[in-house]
Amino acid sequence: ILGVRDIHADHAASHIGKAQGIVTCLRATPYHSTRQKVFLPMDICMLHGASQEDFIRGKQDQNVRDVIYDIASQAHIHLEHVR
């Protein structure tokens, strides 16, 4: 964006963008849930035994929190790569 032509900067920007995308998806989950939509990875939801209905109903059971934690952990991993 500032004329920087560095592969390391590009790599860092890529990881920052991925982390931001994951966080945006998580932050929007309550909004989308009120509209009967869930955009979280179903493989992670199934791994923890959480259904789309759990998110739509706003449940805060341990399995729902585990899904959110796992997804947020992926964002954290991307930030660690940047550092």
Side-chain angles (χ1 to χ4, degrees):
I1 189 166
L2 298 173
V4 175
R5 302 235 185 265
D6 179 38
I7 193 155
H8 299 295
D10 290 345
H11 189 75
S14 173
H15 281 291
I16 290 171
K18 290 172 188 172
Q20 181 62 41
I22 293 168
V23 169
T24 299
C25 182
L26 286 176
R27 290 184 63 212
T29 296
Y31 171 82
H32 290 299
S33 294
T34 62
R35 285 151 182 79
Q36 312 294 311
K37 297 183 188 295
V38 178
F39 296 107
L40 300 175
M42 293 311 330
D43 58 334
I44 296 176
C45 292
M46 289 172 32
L47 178 69
H48 294 288
S51 68
Q52 289 183 347
E53 193 67 28
D54 292 337
F55 290 95
I56 290 169
R57 292 186 181 186
K59 290 187 176 181
Q60 296 184 10
D61 297 340
Q62 186 63 41
N63 60 342
V64 171
R65 289 195 305 264
D66 289 343
V67 169
I68 299 301
Y69 181 83
D70 272 3
I71 296 170
S73 293
Q74 290 301 311
H76 186 266
I77 289 168
H78 285 293
L79 289 178
E80 288 297 315
H81 283 296
V82 173
R83 289 185 185 123

